[in-house]
Amino acid sequence: MMETIVECTIDLEFREAGPLTQAAARLRMRDGSEFTAHGVTNRHPDDPGQQRVGEEVAAARALYGLAEQLLEKAGVDIEELTHERAHLTH
């Protein structure tokens, strides 16, 4: 069995504005297609300021958005090939 290695790139960019942390995630596929998603978190005023935690939550939400888009795209691709409804869950 031949092994194939495929690389894709995910870039994460963060913006901090007071208690608000925003993350933008961009996935570049090997065929040149791109997907983007955003995640936001807002620190409660009583919580201590920890930039890392806000970035983790915002990044997780952005990556979840990418995952949803990839599942949707894969479902469309499957349906085009099989001419049957795809049932993908996460």
Side-chain angles (χ1 to χ4, degrees), residues 23-88:
R26 177 179 291 115
L27 170 64
R28 291 182 185 92
M29 303 293 288
R30 69 178 175 159
D31 67 358
S33 61
E34 289 189 10
F35 298 87
T36 59
H38 297 86
V40 177
T41 189
N42 192 9
R43 186 180 74 246
H44 189 277
D46 294 339
D47 290 343
Q50 292 191 2
Q51 182 177 356
R52 178 183 53 84
V53 174
E55 289 175 353
E56 290 169 348
V57 173
R61 290 175 175 162
L63 292 171
Y64 185 78
L66 286 180
E68 289 178 320
Q69 291 178 49
L70 287 171
L71 281 172
E72 178 68 26
K73 173 80 168 83
V76 169
D77 291 346
I78 290 168
E79 289 173 3
E80 286 177 358
L81 292 171
T82 64
H83 304 288
E84 293 182 22
R85 178 109 172 100
H87 300 281
L88 300 178

Short mmCIF file of all heavy atoms in Angstrom, two decimals, residues 23-88:
data_model
loop_
_atom_site.label_atom_id
_atom_site.label_comp_id
_atom_site.label_asym_id
_atom_site.label_seq_id
_atom_site.Cartn_x
_atom_site.Cartn_y
_atom_site.Cartn_z
N ALA A 23 -10.38 35.83 16.69
CA ALA A 23 -9.47 34.97 15.94
C ALA A 23 -10.00 34.80 14.53
O ALA A 23 -11.20 34.62 14.33
CB ALA A 23 -9.34 33.60 16.61
N ALA A 24 -9.10 34.88 13.57
CA ALA A 24 -9.43 34.59 12.18
C ALA A 24 -8.61 33.37 11.78
O ALA A 24 -7.39 33.34 11.98
CB ALA A 24 -9.09 35.78 11.29
N ALA A 25 -9.27 32.36 11.26
CA ALA A 25 -8.59 31.14 10.82
C ALA A 25 -8.76 31.01 9.31
O ALA A 25 -9.85 31.18 8.78
CB ALA A 25 -9.19 29.91 11.51
N ARG A 26 -7.65 30.71 8.63
CA ARG A 26 -7.69 30.51 7.18
C ARG A 26 -7.03 29.17 6.87
O ARG A 26 -5.90 28.92 7.29
CB ARG A 26 -6.94 31.62 6.46
CG ARG A 26 -6.89 31.40 4.93
CD ARG A 26 -6.16 32.51 4.19
NE ARG A 26 -6.97 33.73 4.25
CZ ARG A 26 -6.60 34.84 4.90
NH1 ARG A 26 -5.46 34.88 5.55
NH2 ARG A 26 -7.37 35.90 4.89
N LEU A 27 -7.75 28.33 6.16
CA LEU A 27 -7.25 27.03 5.74
C LEU A 27 -7.00 27.07 4.25
O LEU A 27 -7.90 27.42 3.47
CB LEU A 27 -8.27 25.93 6.07
CG LEU A 27 -8.00 24.55 5.48
CD1 LEU A 27 -6.72 23.95 6.05
CD2 LEU A 27 -9.19 23.64 5.74
N ARG A 28 -5.79 26.73 3.84
CA ARG A 28 -5.43 26.65 2.43
C ARG A 28 -5.24 25.18 2.07
O ARG A 28 -4.37 24.52 2.61
CB ARG A 28 -4.16 27.43 2.15
CG ARG A 28 -4.33 28.92 2.27
CD ARG A 28 -3.02 29.65 1.92
NE ARG A 28 -3.16 31.06 2.15
CZ ARG A 28 -2.86 31.68 3.29
NH1 ARG A 28 -2.40 30.98 4.31
NH2 ARG A 28 -3.03 32.97 3.42
N MET A 29 -6.07 24.71 1.15
CA MET A 29 -6.01 23.32 0.71
C MET A 29 -4.98 23.19 -0.41
O MET A 29 -4.64 24.16 -1.08
CB MET A 29 -7.38 22.84 0.23
CG MET A 29 -8.49 22.99 1.28
SD MET A 29 -8.26 21.91 2.71
CE MET A 29 -8.65 20.34 1.98
N ARG A 30 -4.55 21.98 -0.67
CA ARG A 30 -3.52 21.77 -1.70
C ARG A 30 -4.01 22.10 -3.09
O ARG A 30 -3.22 22.38 -3.97
CB ARG A 30 -2.97 20.35 -1.63
CG ARG A 30 -3.97 19.30 -2.05
CD ARG A 30 -3.35 17.95 -2.01
NE ARG A 30 -4.37 16.95 -2.30
CZ ARG A 30 -4.09 15.76 -2.72
NH1 ARG A 30 -2.85 15.38 -2.89
NH2 ARG A 30 -5.06 14.91 -2.95
N ASP A 31 -5.34 22.07 -3.31
CA ASP A 31 -5.87 22.41 -4.63
C ASP A 31 -6.03 23.91 -4.82
O ASP A 31 -6.53 24.37 -5.84
CB ASP A 31 -7.21 21.70 -4.88
CG ASP A 31 -8.33 22.19 -3.98
OD1 ASP A 31 -8.09 23.07 -3.11
OD2 ASP A 31 -9.46 21.70 -4.13
N GLY A 32 -5.61 24.70 -3.82
CA GLY A 32 -5.69 26.15 -3.91
C GLY A 32 -6.94 26.74 -3.30
O GLY A 32 -7.04 27.96 -3.16
N SER A 33 -7.91 25.91 -2.93
CA SER A 33 -9.12 26.45 -2.31
C SER A 33 -8.81 26.91 -0.89
O SER A 33 -7.88 26.43 -0.24
CB SER A 33 -10.25 25.42 -2.32
OG SER A 33 -9.87 24.27 -1.59
N GLU A 34 -9.58 27.88 -0.43
CA GLU A 34 -9.40 28.43 0.90
C GLU A 34 -10.73 28.49 1.64
O GLU A 34 -11.77 28.71 1.03
CB GLU A 34 -8.82 29.85 0.83
CG GLU A 34 -7.39 29.91 0.41
CD GLU A 34 -6.79 31.31 0.56
OE1 GLU A 34 -7.43 32.18 1.17
OE2 GLU A 34 -5.68 31.50 0.07
N PHE A 35 -10.65 28.32 2.93
CA PHE A 35 -11.79 28.48 3.82
C PHE A 35 -11.37 29.44 4.92
O PHE A 35 -10.23 29.39 5.38
CB PHE A 35 -12.19 27.13 4.44
CG PHE A 35 -12.62 26.10 3.45
CD1 PHE A 35 -11.68 25.27 2.84
CD2 PHE A 35 -13.95 25.95 3.11
CE1 PHE A 35 -12.07 24.31 1.92
CE2 PHE A 35 -14.35 25.01 2.19
CZ PHE A 35 -13.41 24.19 1.60
N THR A 36 -12.29 30.28 5.35
CA THR A 36 -12.00 31.18 6.46
C THR A 36 -13.15 31.13 7.46
O THR A 36 -14.30 30.89 7.09
CB THR A 36 -11.81 32.64 6.00
OG1 THR A 36 -13.00 33.07 5.34
CG2 THR A 36 -10.62 32.78 5.09
N ALA A 37 -12.81 31.34 8.72
CA ALA A 37 -13.81 31.37 9.79
C ALA A 37 -13.29 32.27 10.89
O ALA A 37 -12.09 32.53 11.00
CB ALA A 37 -14.08 29.96 10.31
N HIS A 38 -14.22 32.73 11.72
CA HIS A 38 -13.87 33.65 12.80
C HIS A 38 -14.42 33.15 14.13
O HIS A 38 -15.46 32.49 14.15
CB HIS A 38 -14.41 35.05 12.51
CG HIS A 38 -13.82 35.64 11.28
ND1 HIS A 38 -14.34 35.41 10.03
CD2 HIS A 38 -12.73 36.41 11.10
CE1 HIS A 38 -13.59 36.03 9.13
NE2 HIS A 38 -12.61 36.65 9.76
N GLY A 39 -13.71 33.46 15.17
CA GLY A 39 -14.16 33.14 16.52
C GLY A 39 -13.94 34.34 17.42
O GLY A 39 -12.97 35.09 17.24
N VAL A 40 -14.81 34.52 18.38
CA VAL A 40 -14.73 35.66 19.29
C VAL A 40 -14.98 35.18 20.72
O VAL A 40 -15.77 34.27 20.95
CB VAL A 40 -15.81 36.73 18.92
CG1 VAL A 40 -15.78 37.89 19.90
CG2 VAL A 40 -15.62 37.20 17.50
N THR A 41 -14.30 35.80 21.64
CA THR A 41 -14.58 35.58 23.05
C THR A 41 -14.49 36.93 23.77
O THR A 41 -13.77 37.82 23.34
CB THR A 41 -13.62 34.55 23.68
OG1 THR A 41 -14.07 34.22 24.99
CG2 THR A 41 -12.20 35.06 23.74
N ASN A 42 -15.25 37.04 24.82
CA ASN A 42 -15.31 38.28 25.58
C ASN A 42 -15.09 37.96 27.06
O ASN A 42 -15.92 37.28 27.67
CB ASN A 42 -16.67 38.96 25.37
CG ASN A 42 -16.70 40.38 25.88
OD1 ASN A 42 -15.67 40.94 26.24
ND2 ASN A 42 -17.88 40.96 25.91
N ARG A 43 -13.98 38.40 27.60
CA ARG A 43 -13.64 38.10 29.00
C ARG A 43 -14.61 38.82 29.94
O ARG A 43 -14.91 39.99 29.77
CB ARG A 43 -12.21 38.53 29.29
CG ARG A 43 -11.72 38.13 30.67
CD ARG A 43 -10.29 38.58 30.93
NE ARG A 43 -10.25 40.02 31.16
CZ ARG A 43 -9.67 40.91 30.37
NH1 ARG A 43 -9.04 40.52 29.29
NH2 ARG A 43 -9.69 42.20 30.66
N HIS A 44 -15.09 38.10 30.93
CA HIS A 44 -15.95 38.69 31.96
C HIS A 44 -15.13 39.71 32.74
O HIS A 44 -13.96 39.47 33.05
CB HIS A 44 -16.48 37.59 32.89
CG HIS A 44 -17.52 38.07 33.83
ND1 HIS A 44 -17.21 38.71 35.01
CD2 HIS A 44 -18.87 38.01 33.77
CE1 HIS A 44 -18.31 39.03 35.63
NE2 HIS A 44 -19.34 38.61 34.91
N PRO A 45 -15.72 40.85 33.10
CA PRO A 45 -14.97 41.90 33.81
C PRO A 45 -14.33 41.44 35.13
O PRO A 45 -13.32 41.99 35.55
CB PRO A 45 -16.02 42.98 34.08
CG PRO A 45 -17.10 42.73 33.10
CD PRO A 45 -17.09 41.26 32.79
N ASP A 46 -14.90 40.43 35.77
CA ASP A 46 -14.35 39.94 37.03
C ASP A 46 -13.20 38.96 36.85
O ASP A 46 -12.52 38.61 37.82
CB ASP A 46 -15.45 39.27 37.87
CG ASP A 46 -16.51 40.25 38.32
OD1 ASP A 46 -16.23 41.48 38.35
OD2 ASP A 46 -17.63 39.81 38.64
N ASP A 47 -13.01 38.45 35.62
CA ASP A 47 -11.94 37.48 35.36
C ASP A 47 -10.62 38.20 35.16
O ASP A 47 -10.57 39.29 34.59
CB ASP A 47 -12.25 36.66 34.11
CG ASP A 47 -13.41 35.70 34.30
OD1 ASP A 47 -13.77 35.44 35.46
OD2 ASP A 47 -13.96 35.23 33.29
N PRO A 48 -9.52 37.58 35.63
CA PRO A 48 -8.21 38.20 35.41
C PRO A 48 -7.85 38.17 33.92
O PRO A 48 -8.27 37.27 33.19
CB PRO A 48 -7.25 37.31 36.22
CG PRO A 48 -7.95 36.01 36.37
CD PRO A 48 -9.43 36.32 36.35
N GLY A 49 -7.11 39.16 33.47
CA GLY A 49 -6.71 39.22 32.07
C GLY A 49 -5.63 38.21 31.75
O GLY A 49 -4.52 38.34 32.23
N GLN A 50 -5.98 37.20 30.98
CA GLN A 50 -5.02 36.20 30.53
C GLN A 50 -5.19 36.04 29.03
O GLN A 50 -6.09 35.34 28.56
CB GLN A 50 -5.23 34.86 31.24
CG GLN A 50 -4.89 34.91 32.71
CD GLN A 50 -4.85 33.52 33.32
OE1 GLN A 50 -5.04 32.52 32.63
NE2 GLN A 50 -4.57 33.45 34.60
N GLN A 51 -4.33 36.69 28.30
CA GLN A 51 -4.43 36.74 26.84
C GLN A 51 -4.49 35.33 26.24
O GLN A 51 -5.27 35.08 25.33
CB GLN A 51 -3.24 37.50 26.29
CG GLN A 51 -3.26 37.67 24.79
CD GLN A 51 -2.08 38.52 24.31
OE1 GLN A 51 -1.31 39.03 25.11
NE2 GLN A 51 -1.96 38.64 23.02
N ARG A 52 -3.70 34.42 26.76
CA ARG A 52 -3.62 33.07 26.21
C ARG A 52 -4.98 32.37 26.23
O ARG A 52 -5.37 31.71 25.28
CB ARG A 52 -2.59 32.25 26.99
CG ARG A 52 -2.47 30.80 26.52
CD ARG A 52 -1.49 30.03 27.40
NE ARG A 52 -1.79 30.12 28.82
CZ ARG A 52 -2.67 29.35 29.46
NH1 ARG A 52 -3.36 28.46 28.82
NH2 ARG A 52 -2.85 29.49 30.76
N VAL A 53 -5.73 32.51 27.32
CA VAL A 53 -7.02 31.85 27.44
C VAL A 53 -8.00 32.39 26.40
O VAL A 53 -8.70 31.64 25.73
CB VAL A 53 -7.59 31.98 28.87
CG1 VAL A 53 -8.99 31.40 28.95
CG2 VAL A 53 -6.67 31.30 29.87
N GLY A 54 -8.04 33.70 26.24
CA GLY A 54 -8.91 34.29 25.23
C GLY A 54 -8.56 33.81 23.84
O GLY A 54 -9.43 33.53 23.02
N GLU A 55 -7.26 33.71 23.55
CA GLU A 55 -6.82 33.22 22.25
C GLU A 55 -7.24 31.77 22.03
O GLU A 55 -7.66 31.39 20.94
CB GLU A 55 -5.31 33.37 22.10
CG GLU A 55 -4.87 34.81 21.96
CD GLU A 55 -3.36 34.97 21.95
OE1 GLU A 55 -2.64 33.97 22.17
OE2 GLU A 55 -2.91 36.11 21.73
N GLU A 56 -7.11 30.95 23.08
CA GLU A 56 -7.49 29.55 22.96
C GLU A 56 -8.98 29.40 22.63
O GLU A 56 -9.36 28.62 21.75
CB GLU A 56 -7.16 28.78 24.24
CG GLU A 56 -5.68 28.61 24.47
CD GLU A 56 -5.35 28.10 25.86
OE1 GLU A 56 -6.22 28.07 26.74
OE2 GLU A 56 -4.18 27.73 26.05
N VAL A 57 -9.81 30.14 23.35
CA VAL A 57 -11.26 30.03 23.13
C VAL A 57 -11.63 30.57 21.75
O VAL A 57 -12.38 29.93 21.00
CB VAL A 57 -12.05 30.76 24.24
CG1 VAL A 57 -13.53 30.79 23.93
CG2 VAL A 57 -11.79 30.10 25.59
N ALA A 58 -11.11 31.73 21.39
CA ALA A 58 -11.43 32.31 20.08
C ALA A 58 -10.92 31.41 18.95
O ALA A 58 -11.61 31.20 17.95
CB ALA A 58 -10.83 33.71 19.97
N ALA A 59 -9.71 30.85 19.11
CA ALA A 59 -9.17 29.95 18.09
C ALA A 59 -10.02 28.69 17.96
O ALA A 59 -10.30 28.23 16.85
CB ALA A 59 -7.73 29.57 18.43
N ALA A 60 -10.43 28.12 19.09
CA ALA A 60 -11.27 26.92 19.05
C ALA A 60 -12.56 27.19 18.30
O ALA A 60 -13.00 26.37 17.48
CB ALA A 60 -11.57 26.44 20.46
N ARG A 61 -13.16 28.34 18.53
CA ARG A 61 -14.41 28.68 17.84
C ARG A 61 -14.18 28.88 16.35
O ARG A 61 -14.99 28.47 15.52
CB ARG A 61 -15.03 29.91 18.48
CG ARG A 61 -15.57 29.61 19.87
CD ARG A 61 -16.09 30.83 20.58
NE ARG A 61 -16.70 30.43 21.86
CZ ARG A 61 -16.94 31.24 22.85
NH1 ARG A 61 -16.64 32.54 22.75
NH2 ARG A 61 -17.48 30.79 23.97
N ALA A 62 -13.06 29.50 15.99
CA ALA A 62 -12.75 29.69 14.57
C ALA A 62 -12.47 28.34 13.89
O ALA A 62 -12.95 28.08 12.78
CB ALA A 62 -11.55 30.62 14.41
N LEU A 63 -11.73 27.48 14.56
CA LEU A 63 -11.42 26.16 13.98
C LEU A 63 -12.68 25.30 13.86
O LEU A 63 -12.83 24.54 12.90
CB LEU A 63 -10.35 25.45 14.82
CG LEU A 63 -8.97 26.10 14.77
CD1 LEU A 63 -8.05 25.47 15.80
CD2 LEU A 63 -8.38 26.00 13.37
N TYR A 64 -13.58 25.44 14.82
CA TYR A 64 -14.86 24.74 14.72
C TYR A 64 -15.62 25.21 13.48
O TYR A 64 -16.22 24.42 12.76
CB TYR A 64 -15.68 24.98 15.99
CG TYR A 64 -16.97 24.20 16.02
CD1 TYR A 64 -16.98 22.85 16.34
CD2 TYR A 64 -18.18 24.81 15.72
CE1 TYR A 64 -18.16 22.12 16.36
CE2 TYR A 64 -19.36 24.09 15.73
CZ TYR A 64 -19.34 22.75 16.05
OH TYR A 64 -20.52 22.04 16.06
N GLY A 65 -15.56 26.51 13.20
CA GLY A 65 -16.18 27.04 11.99
C GLY A 65 -15.57 26.45 10.73
O GLY A 65 -16.28 26.14 9.77
N LEU A 66 -14.25 26.29 10.73
CA LEU A 66 -13.60 25.64 9.58
C LEU A 66 -14.06 24.20 9.44
O LEU A 66 -14.33 23.72 8.33
CB LEU A 66 -12.07 25.67 9.73
CG LEU A 66 -11.35 26.98 9.51
CD1 LEU A 66 -9.85 26.80 9.72
CD2 LEU A 66 -11.63 27.55 8.13
N ALA A 67 -14.17 23.49 10.56
CA ALA A 67 -14.61 22.10 10.53
C ALA A 67 -16.00 21.97 9.93
O ALA A 67 -16.26 21.08 9.11
CB ALA A 67 -14.58 21.50 11.93
N GLU A 68 -16.90 22.87 10.32
CA GLU A 68 -18.26 22.85 9.76
C GLU A 68 -18.23 23.07 8.25
O GLU A 68 -18.95 22.39 7.50
CB GLU A 68 -19.11 23.92 10.43
CG GLU A 68 -19.46 23.60 11.87
CD GLU A 68 -20.28 24.71 12.52
OE1 GLU A 68 -19.99 25.90 12.28
OE2 GLU A 68 -21.22 24.36 13.26
N GLN A 69 -17.41 24.01 7.80
CA GLN A 69 -17.32 24.28 6.36
C GLN A 69 -16.75 23.09 5.60
O GLN A 69 -17.22 22.76 4.50
CB GLN A 69 -16.44 25.51 6.11
CG GLN A 69 -17.06 26.81 6.56
CD GLN A 69 -16.13 27.97 6.33
OE1 GLN A 69 -15.58 28.12 5.25
NE2 GLN A 69 -15.96 28.79 7.36
N LEU A 70 -15.76 22.43 6.17
CA LEU A 70 -15.16 21.26 5.51
C LEU A 70 -16.14 20.10 5.43
O LEU A 70 -16.20 19.40 4.41
CB LEU A 70 -13.89 20.83 6.24
CG LEU A 70 -12.69 21.74 6.04
CD1 LEU A 70 -11.56 21.34 6.99
CD2 LEU A 70 -12.22 21.70 4.60
N LEU A 71 -16.92 19.89 6.49
CA LEU A 71 -17.94 18.84 6.44
C LEU A 71 -18.98 19.14 5.37
O LEU A 71 -19.41 18.25 4.64
CB LEU A 71 -18.61 18.67 7.80
CG LEU A 71 -17.82 17.88 8.84
CD1 LEU A 71 -18.50 17.97 10.20
CD2 LEU A 71 -17.67 16.43 8.41
N GLU A 72 -19.39 20.39 5.28
CA GLU A 72 -20.36 20.80 4.24
C GLU A 72 -19.79 20.56 2.85
O GLU A 72 -20.46 20.00 1.99
CB GLU A 72 -20.72 22.27 4.44
CG GLU A 72 -21.67 22.81 3.39
CD GLU A 72 -23.07 22.21 3.47
OE1 GLU A 72 -23.48 21.78 4.55
OE2 GLU A 72 -23.74 22.18 2.42
N LYS A 73 -18.54 20.98 2.64
CA LYS A 73 -17.90 20.80 1.33
C LYS A 73 -17.74 19.32 0.99
O LYS A 73 -18.01 18.89 -0.14
CB LYS A 73 -16.53 21.48 1.33
CG LYS A 73 -15.67 21.24 0.12
CD LYS A 73 -16.07 22.12 -1.04
CE LYS A 73 -15.05 22.10 -2.16
NZ LYS A 73 -15.16 20.99 -3.06
N ALA A 74 -17.34 18.52 1.97
CA ALA A 74 -17.19 17.08 1.74
C ALA A 74 -18.53 16.45 1.39
O ALA A 74 -18.61 15.60 0.50
CB ALA A 74 -16.59 16.40 2.97
N GLY A 75 -19.60 16.88 2.05
CA GLY A 75 -20.94 16.36 1.74
C GLY A 75 -21.35 16.69 0.33
O GLY A 75 -21.88 15.83 -0.39
N VAL A 76 -21.09 17.91 -0.09
CA VAL A 76 -21.41 18.30 -1.48
C VAL A 76 -20.60 17.46 -2.46
O VAL A 76 -21.13 16.95 -3.46
CB VAL A 76 -21.15 19.81 -1.68
CG1 VAL A 76 -21.20 20.17 -3.16
CG2 VAL A 76 -22.14 20.64 -0.89
N ASP A 77 -19.32 17.28 -2.18
CA ASP A 77 -18.47 16.47 -3.07
C ASP A 77 -18.96 15.03 -3.15
O ASP A 77 -19.00 14.44 -4.23
CB ASP A 77 -17.02 16.51 -2.58
CG ASP A 77 -16.36 17.87 -2.76
OD1 ASP A 77 -16.93 18.73 -3.49
OD2 ASP A 77 -15.29 18.09 -2.16
N ILE A 78 -19.33 14.45 -2.01
CA ILE A 78 -19.83 13.07 -1.99
C ILE A 78 -21.11 12.96 -2.81
O ILE A 78 -21.28 12.03 -3.61
CB ILE A 78 -20.05 12.59 -0.54
CG1 ILE A 78 -18.70 12.41 0.17
CG2 ILE A 78 -20.88 11.30 -0.50
CD1 ILE A 78 -18.82 12.22 1.67
N GLU A 79 -22.01 13.91 -2.62
CA GLU A 79 -23.28 13.89 -3.35
C GLU A 79 -23.07 14.03 -4.85
O GLU A 79 -23.78 13.39 -5.64
CB GLU A 79 -24.20 14.99 -2.82
CG GLU A 79 -24.72 14.68 -1.42
CD GLU A 79 -25.51 15.81 -0.80
OE1 GLU A 79 -25.73 16.85 -1.46
OE2 GLU A 79 -25.92 15.66 0.37
N GLU A 80 -22.10 14.83 -5.26
CA GLU A 80 -21.81 14.98 -6.68
C GLU A 80 -21.28 13.67 -7.28
O GLU A 80 -21.57 13.34 -8.42
CB GLU A 80 -20.80 16.10 -6.91
CG GLU A 80 -21.39 17.48 -6.74
CD GLU A 80 -20.37 18.59 -6.91
OE1 GLU A 80 -19.17 18.30 -7.13
OE2 GLU A 80 -20.77 19.77 -6.82
N LEU A 81 -20.51 12.92 -6.50
CA LEU A 81 -19.94 11.66 -6.99
C LEU A 81 -20.94 10.51 -6.96
O LEU A 81 -20.97 9.69 -7.88
CB LEU A 81 -18.71 11.28 -6.15
CG LEU A 81 -17.49 12.18 -6.32
CD1 LEU A 81 -16.43 11.82 -5.27
CD2 LEU A 81 -16.91 12.02 -7.72
N THR A 82 -21.75 10.44 -5.91
CA THR A 82 -22.62 9.29 -5.73
C THR A 82 -24.05 9.53 -6.19
O THR A 82 -24.82 8.59 -6.34
CB THR A 82 -22.68 8.88 -4.24
OG1 THR A 82 -23.27 9.95 -3.48
CG2 THR A 82 -21.30 8.56 -3.71
N HIS A 83 -24.41 10.81 -6.36
CA HIS A 83 -25.79 11.19 -6.70
C HIS A 83 -26.77 10.73 -5.63
O HIS A 83 -27.92 10.44 -5.92
CB HIS A 83 -26.19 10.67 -8.08
CG HIS A 83 -25.25 11.11 -9.15
ND1 HIS A 83 -25.20 12.40 -9.61
CD2 HIS A 83 -24.30 10.42 -9.84
CE1 HIS A 83 -24.27 12.50 -10.55
NE2 HIS A 83 -23.70 11.32 -10.70
N GLU A 84 -26.27 10.64 -4.39
CA GLU A 84 -27.10 10.29 -3.24
C GLU A 84 -26.83 11.29 -2.12
O GLU A 84 -25.75 11.88 -2.04
CB GLU A 84 -26.78 8.87 -2.75
CG GLU A 84 -27.17 7.80 -3.74
CD GLU A 84 -26.89 6.42 -3.22
OE1 GLU A 84 -26.79 6.24 -1.97
OE2 GLU A 84 -26.76 5.50 -4.03
N ARG A 85 -27.79 11.43 -1.25
CA ARG A 85 -27.66 12.37 -0.13
C ARG A 85 -26.59 11.88 0.83
O ARG A 85 -26.56 10.70 1.22
CB ARG A 85 -29.00 12.47 0.59
CG ARG A 85 -28.99 13.36 1.78
CD ARG A 85 -29.79 14.63 1.48
NE ARG A 85 -29.95 15.42 2.69
CZ ARG A 85 -29.19 16.48 2.98
NH1 ARG A 85 -28.27 16.86 2.15
NH2 ARG A 85 -29.39 17.15 4.08
N ALA A 86 -25.67 12.76 1.19
CA ALA A 86 -24.62 12.43 2.15
C ALA A 86 -25.11 12.78 3.55
O ALA A 86 -25.78 13.78 3.76
CB ALA A 86 -23.35 13.21 1.83
N HIS A 87 -24.75 11.95 4.50
CA HIS A 87 -25.14 12.18 5.91
C HIS A 87 -23.87 12.23 6.76
O HIS A 87 -23.43 11.24 7.30
CB HIS A 87 -26.06 11.06 6.40
CG HIS A 87 -27.32 10.96 5.61
ND1 HIS A 87 -28.38 11.83 5.81
CD2 HIS A 87 -27.68 10.14 4.62
CE1 HIS A 87 -29.36 11.51 4.98
NE2 HIS A 87 -28.95 10.50 4.23
N LEU A 88 -23.28 13.42 6.83
CA LEU A 88 -22.06 13.59 7.63
C LEU A 88 -22.42 14.26 8.94
O LEU A 88 -23.19 15.22 8.98
CB LEU A 88 -21.05 14.46 6.86
CG LEU A 88 -20.58 13.93 5.51
CD1 LEU A 88 -19.63 14.91 4.86
CD2 LEU A 88 -19.91 12.57 5.68
#
